[in-house]
Amino acid sequence: MMKKAKVINVSNVSGGVGKSTTSIELATYFGMNGYKVLVVDSDMQASATDCIGFKGAPFNEKELLIMSERVSQGENFLNVLDQGIIENVADDLTDVLNDPDMIEDVITVTKLENVDLLPASIRLCQADKNLSDDITRSAVDRLSNALDLVKDKYDFIVIDNSPAQTLVSTNTLLASDLNIIPVKLDRKSVKGMIISLKNTISIMKRNRKNIDIRILFTMVPKRGKTEKMMIPWFREHLGQLIFDTVIPYQKKPAQEASLMNKQIVHTNTNVGIAYRELGKELLTFFDQEVA
């Protein structure tokens, strides 16, 4: 086992390419093979938090009565509701970016073996403004400082990102050892890959930090022209930047995993097998024992 966690960032400015799925399946694979994992959810849509964590508690009767009373006294309904939601949500990444020292209090357990979670919520939409407004300290290394406090407790830290390029995403990148860019082989996703690569290189140069980069092809049709023509073409020009593993397109694995109450990586579908191969490839990349 490693003495300090390796941090894997999963990002692409293009949506719908499998960022959350890749983050969760990798965390599941590492966890089921005995590695301690922390998933950091940095997307305000909180897909990873909803999938493996515990959703925010619903409003209770007392809260509804208090809000109704405030509205009856003349307060704006939307303002009252907004404040009620903020008070109802537990601490998340937003709070850690404001105060890195509180990270251990925010991390929660998950339903996955050996996997903990630093959760997200809709409150993350405010985080970028909070970071830019605070001129008293650096806005780009808050997550790095926070993760340094817990790295000795984990073998891997996997960060799931939103498509937005913000100070939050700069924090996640600069906290990372490896940036994985999932990409489907369509024009929109490839454009997202290009922008993501350029942004990553620019941020590395500006902050004088070296971060490994790897591209992961996802949702690839098994018998299409894509696999026969485009993937070899990309490998010819980008070489070792591309993972050997390709994640295929398949309709049923998510349904099957849901019925089994497990993640896809536990299934014997083509997608499940591919994510296990990706996990093994990453263990080799980090010189860890392949289970």
Side-chain angles (χ1 to χ4, degrees), residues 80-91:
V80 170
L81 182 60
D82 183 46
Q83 188 62 39
I85 289 172
I86 291 174
E87 291 175 353
N88 185 258
V89 175
D91 293 332

Side-chain angles (χ1 to χ4, degrees), residues 94 98 123 126-135 142:
T94 310
N98 181 57
R123 296 171 65 229
Q126 302 169 339
D128 201 62
K129 185 177 187 303
N130 294 344
L131 288 167
S132 60
D133 285 350
D134 186 354
I135 61 173
R142 308 279 183 87

